[in-house]
Amino acid sequence: MASSSRNDKKYDVFVSFRGEDTRDNFTTHLYSALSRQNIQTFIDDQLNRGDEVSESLVNAIEASAVSVIVFSEGYASSRWCLDELVKILECKKEYAQIVIPVFYRVDPSDARNQTGPFGISFSKLEERFKENTEKLRTWRKALKEAASLSGFHSLNIR
């Protein structure tokens, strides 16, 4: 069982993002800015070769004091992103992990309600998982919860 003690954390920040949307722009800049401040930050390019991706990500999420969720247009089309999101929210509840949403070129209400371009991305995933209604319900609930948290909107800040 992971400890909620700040001293037991391996990472200060875990960044959850859709790679093809933000890896070569926003996320890279965010990672660089955090690193310059000596903030230990995990992004998925730090996975050890040969590790099972899901287990490595779960361990990194649990080993982080803060999770930053970068909601982008394609975020909701990724099963991996949504599974990360569910785990992040579990850590928020169980270990008081701080969760900060960033809405990167996405309206927060679209992320919260799965509407607009964000909703179109979720619909693509929904089609692939239409037989797994429980998983879809869990993802929808997690999106609504996370997108309701106080965060940052990229249209309002640089």
Side-chain angles (χ1 to χ4, degrees):
M1 183 192 273
S3 171
S4 63
S5 170
R6 176 79 166 87
N7 296 334
D8 292 344
K9 296 298 182 184
K10 182 176 179 182
Y11 303 103
D12 296 310
V13 177
F14 176 90
V15 181
S16 177
F17 64 100
R18 178 78 169 138
E20 61 192 51
D21 288 355
T22 67
R23 182 184 310 278
D24 295 327
N25 50 48
F26 180 82
T27 303
T28 301
H29 294 295
L30 175 63
Y31 179 76
S32 295
L34 293 169
S35 294
R36 279 193 303 276
Q37 298 299 315
N38 294 316
I39 296 171
Q40 292 297 103
T41 305
F42 181 94
I43 60 173
D44 68 3
D45 67 349
Q46 297 171 351
L47 293 175
N48 294 323
R49 300 243 185 252
D51 279 0
E52 177 64 33
V53 173
S54 61
E55 185 178 334
S56 295
L57 288 174
V58 165
N59 291 338
I61 293 167
E62 289 178 349
S64 299
V66 175
S67 282
V68 173
I69 305 161
V70 181
F71 286 116
S72 59
E73 194 172 294
Y75 187 91
S77 67
S78 168
R79 175 182 73 88
W80 284 106
C81 287
L82 295 176
D83 285 343
E84 280 179 21
L85 179 63
V86 169
K87 182 61 182 177
I88 288 167
L89 293 174
E90 286 174 9
C91 288
K92 179 182 182 295
K93 286 181 184 87
E94 290 182 42
Y95 312 122
Q97 186 178 90
I98 297 167
V99 178
I100 303 169
V102 174
F103 301 94
Y104 181 74
R105 299 182 178 165
V106 168
D107 188 285
S109 68
D110 284 345
R112 190 169 32 257
N113 300 309
Q114 297 92 59
T115 55
F118 193 89
I120 292 168
S121 289
F122 188 77
S123 294
K124 292 175 186 173
L125 185 74
E126 201 170 29
E127 186 59 34
R128 292 192 340 248
F129 285 86
K130 61 185 167 196
E131 302 301 316
N132 195 340
T133 56
E134 184 60 28
K135 182 70 109 172
L136 289 168
R137 187 191 65 74
T138 299
W139 288 336
R140 279 192 183 280
K141 182 179 176 213
L143 285 167
K144 186 168 191 71
E145 180 181 340
S148 295
L149 297 171
S150 180
F152 299 95
H153 192 310
S154 69
L155 297 180
N156 298 334
I157 59 169
R158 285 184 39 133

